[in-house]
Amino acid sequence: MPDQVLDDISHRRYNPLTGSWLLVSPHRTKRPWQGQQEAPSKNVLPAYDPKCYLCPGNKRAQGDSNPQYKDTFVFVNDYSAVKEQQQDYHPEPTDKNDIASLLLQAQPVTGRCYVLTFSPKHDVTLADMTVSEILPVVQTWTRIYGSHLSATHPLRPAAEATLARIPTNPNGEVEPPSTNQLRYMQIFENKGAAMGCSNPHPHCQVWTTSTMPEEPGKEFTQMARYRAENGRHLLADYVKLEMEKKERIVWQNDGFLVVCPWWAVWPFEVIIIAKRHVRALVDLTDEERVQFAEAVQEVTRRYDNLFETSFPYSSGIHQAPLDCTEDEAETSWFHMHFYPPLLRSATVRKFLVGYELMAEPQRDITPEQAAARLKDCGGELYRRLLN
Amino acid sequence: MPDQVLDDISHRRYNPLTGSWLLVSPHRTKRPWQGQQEAPSKNVLPAYDPKCYLCPGNKRAQGDSNPQYKDTFVFVNDYSAVKEQQQDYHPEPTDKNDIASLLLQAQPVTGRCYVLTFSPKHDVTLADMTVSEILPVVQTWTRIYGSHLSATHPLRPAAEATLARIPTNPNGEVEPPSTNQLRYMQIFENKGAAMGCSNPHPHCQVWTTSTMPEEPGKEFTQMARYRAENGRHLLADYVKLEMEKKERIVWQNDGFLVVCPWWAVWPFEVIIIAKRHVRALVDLTDEERVQFAEAVQEVTRRYDNLFETSFPYSSGIHQAPLDCTEDEAETSWFHMHFYPPLLRSATVRKFLVGYELMAEPQRDITPEQAAARLKDCGGELYRRLLN
Ligand SMILES: [Zn+2]
Ligand SMILES: [Zn+2]
C-alpha cells in the first residue's frame, strides 16, 4: 500500500498528466451491497450480420459498399464531426475593450474522421482475438498515423522506415487530406452499449483535427513542464516508480507496463505505457508492435474475465502530434488509456454525474484494489470455457 | 447568430469559466434521424412509497426514522463520500529528488455529506412544484450554506441578517461539524435514472469538504484572472453581453438570466446567473429568493416540456467558498449549472465518451439552436394537460 492510512481515509489524489485532482473514498466500499449476481454472458451475435454497416460486402448509409476485407478496413466516416473543407472563419483577435472577443471566442476546426474495423467478423472483440489477429490492427494504426505526418515532421524518417516494414493492406490505406496539414490524430474505441456504442462489430474511430484537442493538450503541457523542471520524462519516472512499488501493476512484458494509475477516475481504469521512450506508433519496432498487441489483448481479456461479461470501455492512444517541432516530438510519450464504467458487476456501473460534473471526480475502490483484481483475472477468456 | 458561418462549419468554442475548449459540429445535425417518437410520459409514482428512504415517517438504512416533515428535510448521508473525523495523514512535501513525492501525491479530505429532500411528496419534481413550493428549498439551501460559514467569513454579517429573515424549519436545520472548518459546499441534484439516480423522491445532495474541488476551483481561478486583467467581473460582463446579443437567452426575470451558454457541452445545458453581484445564497434578498425559485421552476418545467418526459439532469450551485478571504468572496458570482444528457427525445441521449473522454467534448446542435427550442417550451407543464 502507498501509505496504509490511505486505504481507509477520504483523500484526494493528484493526476500529474492533467494537473487535476480527484476524490477517493475507500471507506465507502464498506457499504452494504445488494446488487444482483449476473450469469456469465455468452456471445449471441452472428459472425456476419447483413444489416451491419461494417461487415464485409455490406452497403453503408451513403451507398458505398464495403470490400471483402481480410483483417482491418479503413474508410472516411460518412458523418464526420469535422469537415475537410469549409467556409473560412477568421475570429477577431481578443481585445480588452471588446467583451465579445473575450467571452464569445471561437476558432475554426477542419479535419477528417475515419472508421477502422478490427476484424471482418461481426461477433468478436479485441478480447476474443489472438495477438496475431490484433497485430494487423496495430499495423493499420501505425500506417494511418505515419501517413498523416507533416512533411517536415521529426518522426518522418522513422515513419518511412517503419511503414516500409509493415505489410500493405489494400483496405487499410488512406491518403491524408491534401487541403491543409492536420495537427492531431485521436485514435479511440468506444465499446459497448453502456458507452453509447450502437454497433458491436469491432471497430475504432480515428479523428484528425487542425487543432490540438484539450486532453492530449493538457497532458502535453504537463509533460513539457515536468521535463523542464526535472530534466526527465514524467512517464519514464512513473514507469520506474510503479515497477519499484509493485502496487498498481496489472501486467507487463518487455515493452509495456499496464497499471491502474495512481490517479484513476474510472473504477478499473488502466493505462498501457511504453517502457522506453516511444514518441508515437511509428517508433515501435517489429517486436514492440507484437508486445503492444499483447498488452491490448491482456487488458481486454482481463476486463471481460472480471465480471464474466463483454466489458464496455472507451480507450484511446496519446502520442506525438501530426505536426510538431523536434522538441514537441521529444516531449511525447506513447501510451493508451482505458476508461471502463463498470463497478461491481455486468450491470452496476459508475456514473460520472452530480458531484463529478459539478465539483470533482470521485471513486470508491482504490486503484491498488482494482489492480489486484485485474491481476488475478488472467488466464483463458471465460467465454471459451462456457459451453 | 454569433457569426452566421459558425452555424455551418466545425469549430471550437472557448469556455472562459474553465479555460477549456470544446468542439462544435453543427453540420452533423443534418444526419438522417430514424429515432422513435416517444409518447408523452405520465407520472405513475405513488405520492407516498413505503419503501422509499426519503418519504416522511420511513426508516433509513442505518435505522433512523424520517420525521413527518412539511416541505424540506435535511439529514447527514448514511454513506458519506468524506469522513468527518479520520486518522491524520501528512503528505511528504514534494521534492525534486524523490519521484514518489512528485508522482504519487495525495492529500487528506474531511467533510460531511447531507441529503436534502425538496418535498414530502414522492411523486413530484421541481418541474411539478410551484414557485411557492420551491421557495422553502431555496430557503433551506440558504440556511445550510449560511450555517457552515467560517467564523471570520466576510459574508457572516450578510448571512446573519438573511437567516434571521427566513422562517426556521425544524427538519431543515443542521449544525456544522465542530471538528474543523470546511472549505467548500457543493449543492447538487442528480435527477433521473439516466444520471444514475436510483430514487425518484425529489432531493438533492450537499457535500462539504475541507478542500476546494476542481470545478469551482478552476472557475474561481478564471474569474479571479479576468477580474485582475479587466477590472470587471467575468459573469457581469457575460450577463451584459448575452442581454445585448439576445441569441442564447432562454428566460429571464429582474434577478436572473437563464441562457444556453456559448460554451455549452451538454445538448440543452443551461446556466442561471444572478444579474447583480450576488456572492452566495446569503446575499439574495427576500425578493431574489423568490426570483431564483422562479428561475429553477422555469428551467425544469421547460426541460420536461421539451421532450414531454421527466427530463434527467445534474445541476449544481457555484458560489463563494465556506472559508475565504474578502477578496475571494468578492470574486465569487452566484450561478447554477444544469447538465442534461437528452439529445433528441426521451430515450436518445448524448454520451460523453470516446472522443469526449480522450480528446475534447463535442456537440452537434449549437447553443443558439438549443436556446431557441427551450425558449419555445414555456407554458403549462405538459403532464397537467394529459388525462
Ligand atoms: Zn494520455
Ligand atoms: Zn460554475
Side-chain angles (χ1 to χ4, degrees), chain A residues 78-112:
Chain A
D78 295 325
Y79 303 103
S80 289
V82 281
K83 298 210 260 187
E84 247 168 86
Q85 287 183 296
Q86 61 187 14
Q87 284 181 76
D88 276 344
Y89 173 66
H90 300 285
E92 301 289 320
T94 60
D95 170 2
K96 278 180 78 158
N97 299 313
D98 175 21
I99 303 177
S101 80
L102 298 175
L103 297 180
L104 305 180
Q105 291 185 47
Q107 53 183 219
V109 181
T110 55
R112 191 195 274 168

Side-chain angles (χ1 to χ4, degrees), chain A residues 352-360, chain B residues 195 215 266 314 339 352:
Chain A
L352 280 184
V353 294
Y355 193 78
E356 278 85 356
L357 291 177
M358 293 300 158
E360 188 162 292
Chain B
M195 294 313 259
E215 285 300 308
W266 298 88
S314 285
Y339 300 151
L352 279 184

Side-chain angles (χ1 to χ4, degrees), chain A residues 249-295:
Chain A
I249 296 177
V250 173
W251 183 85
Q252 62 182 310
N253 60 15
D254 285 351
F256 296 89
L257 183 69
V258 178
V259 295
C260 292
W262 172 259
W263 53 81
V265 165
W266 299 88
F268 293 92
E269 177 174 339
V270 305
I271 183 169
I272 302 177
I273 316 175
K275 286 187 177 178
R276 71 168 182 97
H277 188 208
V278 170
R279 297 164 296 178
L281 280 160
V282 294
D283 267 347
L284 296 174
T285 64
D286 296 356
E287 202 181 355
E288 285 169 336
R289 275 191 298 281
V290 176
Q291 289 165 348
F292 182 53
E294 206 183 357

Side-chain angles (χ1 to χ4, degrees), chain A residues 89-92 100 103-106, chain B residues 1-9 11-13 24 26 241-242 245-248 260-263 366-369 371:
Chain A
Y89 173 66
H90 300 285
E92 301 289 320
L103 297 180
L104 305 180
Q105 291 185 47
Chain B
M1 274 299 108
D3 186 330
Q4 202 62 47
V5 67
L6 292 186
D7 212 26
D8 189 53
I9 69 167
H11 63 280
R12 297 170 105 196
R13 294 191 186 197
V24 188
L241 191 61
E242 291 292 18
K245 298 270 179 189
K246 298 184 176 62
E247 288 159 350
R248 282 164 295 277
C260 292
W262 171 260
W263 52 83
T366 63
E368 293 77 29
Q369 293 161 348

Side-chain angles (χ1 to χ4, degrees), chain B residues 16-17 216 218-228 232-235 331-333 335:
Chain B
L17 268 180
K218 269 191 277 185
E219 292 189 354
F220 198 80
T221 304
Q222 289 289 111
M223 293 195 291
R225 181 178 299 153
Y226 189 93
R227 222 180 127 214
R232 299 180 308 268
H233 284 283
L234 193 161
L235 285 178
T331 294
S332 304
W333 192 287
H335 62 276

